[in-house]
Amino acid sequence: EIVLTQSPGTLSLSPGERATLSCRASQSVSSSYLAWYQQKPGQAPRLLIYGASSRATGIPDRFSGSGSGTDFTLTISRVEPEDFAVYYCQQYGSSPRTFGQGTKVEIK
Amino acid sequence: QVQLQESGPGLVKPSETLSLTCSVSGGYNNDYYWSWIRQPPGKGLEWIGYIYYSGSTNYNPSLKSRVTMSVDTSKNQFSLKLSSVTVADTAVYYCARGAARFDPWGQGTLVTVSS
């Protein structure tokens, strides 16, 4: 099973700042089969990025993903008020599918 | 667009079987896989497994001995059964489209295991 470790646990930012979230895998994620989700309190997760760098339908271009192998990054170029949430990475290159423990982006 | 909705009892007794159904509207077809994912209160996400319309399944090994998934294509529904539940199975249970990446998700339903 691939273990995903996200850092930092919490990121405190002001609106307009850049957010950089990290996801490290315990072994290589095949074909960059890595996704990112956003979850707000009381809501289901929403797919943001798949294939490490492809934005899902309707996702603003301030969200971008990069990386390959074992190291992946989600970047929010300028954090908007609606972006404060918890973000999870997830790998689907192997079974079982696994998620990281999440990074909370909070208002500074 | 596709919408998913979970339904089922919100309270289950220890040692009993948790049963949930996911209803799909706005675009069910036989080209998709359908998954179940859960989230204990205040914690992270755990993939439970997926099912294809043909009935083929893939379960998380950590739950495999207790999980059964089924699909009813005539009703545009798929279901989850988790047997011998304990308090550790208390979670919000989500259904979602996909076997790899998951999109969209249902709103989730809280299932509490308690006597």
Side-chain angles (χ1 to χ4, degrees):
Chain A
E1 166 175 327
I2 295 179
V3 176
L4 299 177
T5 302
Q6 293 186 239
S7 61
T10 303
L11 195 53
S12 299
L13 296 168
S14 300
E17 289 191 302
R18 183 183 187 89
T20 302
L21 288 67
S22 174
C23 177
R24 178 161 291 178
S26 61
Q27 54 189 279
S28 184
V29 177
S30 63
S31 304
S32 294
Y33 286 150
L34 188 110
W36 290 92
Y37 299 85
Q38 176 193 67
Q39 186 178 34
K40 296 180 180 179
Q43 296 185 17
R46 176 177 69 145
L47 178 67
L48 297 175
I49 300 287
Y50 64 93
S53 61
S54 297
R55 273 186 301 276
T57 303
I59 301 304
D61 60 7
R62 64 179 181 274
F63 290 93
S64 63
S66 63
S68 63
T70 60
D71 289 302
F72 299 87
T73 300
L74 174 70
T75 301
I76 311 173
S77 58
R78 292 173 304 281
V79 175
E80 298 285 339
E82 62 266 30
D83 300 336
F84 292 99
V86 178
Y87 293 83
Y88 293 96
C89 57
Q90 178 241 327
Q91 66 80 24
Y92 52 98
S94 66
S95 193
R97 314 310 190 204
T98 52
F99 293 86
Q101 83 279 16
T103 289
K104 182 179 182 180
V105 177
E106 65 175 23
I107 300 175
K108 187 174 182 179
Chain B
Q1 68 275 22
V2 175
Q3 293 186 313
L4 294 86
Q5 177 70 57
E6 304 88 351
S7 59
L11 181 64
V12 181
K13 290 182 169 56
S15 80
E16 295 189 346
T17 296
L18 176 161
S19 296
L20 296 173
T21 296
C22 183
S23 300
V24 182
S25 60
Y28 182 96
N29 66 54
N30 290 336
D31 288 339
Y32 290 111
Y33 290 79
W34 306 93
S35 284
W36 289 96
I37 297 148
R38 70 180 183 178
Q39 184 173 37
K43 297 188 178 180
L45 299 159
E46 179 181 32
W47 173 73
I48 300 170
Y50 65 67
I51 187 166
Y52 192 46
Y53 83 97
S54 63
S56 64
T57 57
N58 183 16
Y59 301 146
N60 191 323
S62 68
L63 297 167
K64 187 174 184 177
S65 64
R66 298 193 293 130
V67 170
T68 303
M69 295 183 185
S70 59
V71 63
D72 187 338
T73 55
S74 66
K75 294 183 178 179
N76 292 353
Q77 292 178 336
F78 60 103
S79 298
L80 168 71
K81 291 187 185 299
L82 182 65
S83 64
S84 304
V85 298
T86 70
V87 293
D89 295 310
T90 294
V92 175
Y93 285 76
Y94 296 100
C95 57
R97 185 177 64 182
R101 61 183 190 263
F102 309 114
D103 179 48
W105 298 52
Q107 66 184 29
T109 187
L110 174 63
V111 179
T112 301
V113 179
S114 175
S115 55

